[in-house]
Amino acid sequence: MLPVKSLLRCKSVCKSCEYKVIRIAQLHEDDEDGAGYVFHSVNVEIYNLSTNSWREINAVVPFVWFFPCSELLFNGHFHWWADDEDHGGESMLSFHISTEVFQQIQLPDVCAFPDGNERAFLVLNESIALVLYNPSAQASFDIWLMIEYGVAESWTKLFTIGPFVQVEHPLLFWKHELLLEKANGQLVSCNLKSQRLKEFQVYGAQESLRALIYSESLVSVKRRCDIK
């Protein structure tokens, strides 16, 4: 049996009070020389909480990469890091949760594959930020911002932070700081102005830390969707 990749993520649509799960199943196998994969097909299914049912949607979706911080919910869209077969590089795959329409957004030319860097999609100043970095003994982080949503030409490099010793993965922009994970799994933050690091007594297994912005709500999922 060929390996299948799947991704489950819950998303809410505030306007329609609709909660959904998106599943992307990718079918591929090792190529003849064992150096990569031969991509075959992809199936996209949506689960609706209100109807308690799955349905398949007819969509042409590129190969999606599932890595930490390569997925992002922003402005009613969910985003993944994906291949860009038309331009021979990589793209950001966008899925509009209400209309259920996919869109590919080109990344900056510096993202031409392969370049040895890793990527992270985060939110900065109410816009999507792309963080390019190369996990190493001393890693630097290039911060790009998509000024106008969906417009590839609006990608703008803001600044570079680092290099930092044994700091490997970005997690979340919070106020004037960037949360990061050290090589030993420790949580640290970097002040974007001073570039000073602050360590927290929070540890996890290597590459296991995740950070999310939490908003309180007094309304339950069941109540909002009138589920009895």
Side-chain angles (χ1 to χ4, degrees), residues 82-119:
D83 282 347
D84 185 359
E85 297 179 355
D86 293 336
H87 300 89
E90 302 171 12
S91 70
M92 174 186 292
L93 179 64
S94 168
F95 177 77
H96 193 284
I97 302 171
S98 294
T99 63
E100 299 182 357
V101 173
F102 285 96
Q103 175 190 1
Q104 279 190 267
I105 303 172
Q106 284 184 262
L107 298 179
D109 293 338
V110 70
C111 291
F113 185 85
D115 59 8
N117 285 333
E118 294 187 15
R119 298 90 170 87

Side-chain angles (χ1 to χ4, degrees), residues 61-72:
V61 179
F63 190 89
V64 176
W65 298 89
F66 301 127
F67 292 111
C69 292
S70 65
E71 309 157 14
L72 177 67

Side-chain angles (χ1 to χ4, degrees), residues 23-39:
R23 178 167 62 195
I24 298 179
Q26 300 179 164
L27 193 61
H28 58 84
E29 63 180 341
D30 294 339
D31 59 16
E32 293 182 357
D33 58 11
Y37 297 108
V38 177
F39 179 62

Side-chain angles (χ1 to χ4, degrees), residues 186-188 198-203:
Q186 184 179 13
L187 178 68
V188 298
K198 177 182 178 181
E199 295 185 345
F200 298 93
Q201 297 305 309
V202 177
Y203 293 84

Side-chain angles (χ1 to χ4, degrees), residues 8-23:
L8 291 179
R9 285 293 184 270
C10 289
K11 309 142 182 114
S12 65
V13 182
C14 296
K15 292 183 179 180
S16 62
C17 188
E18 183 68 66
Y19 290 79
K20 301 177 181 180
V21 176
I22 311 301
R23 178 167 62 195

Side-chain angles (χ1 to χ4, degrees), residues 117 131-134 136 138-142 160-164 167:
N117 285 333
V131 183
L132 300 179
Y133 62 101
N134 192 334
S136 61
Q138 293 191 8
S140 296
F141 301 84
D142 294 333
T160 298
I161 61 174
F164 302 122
V167 176

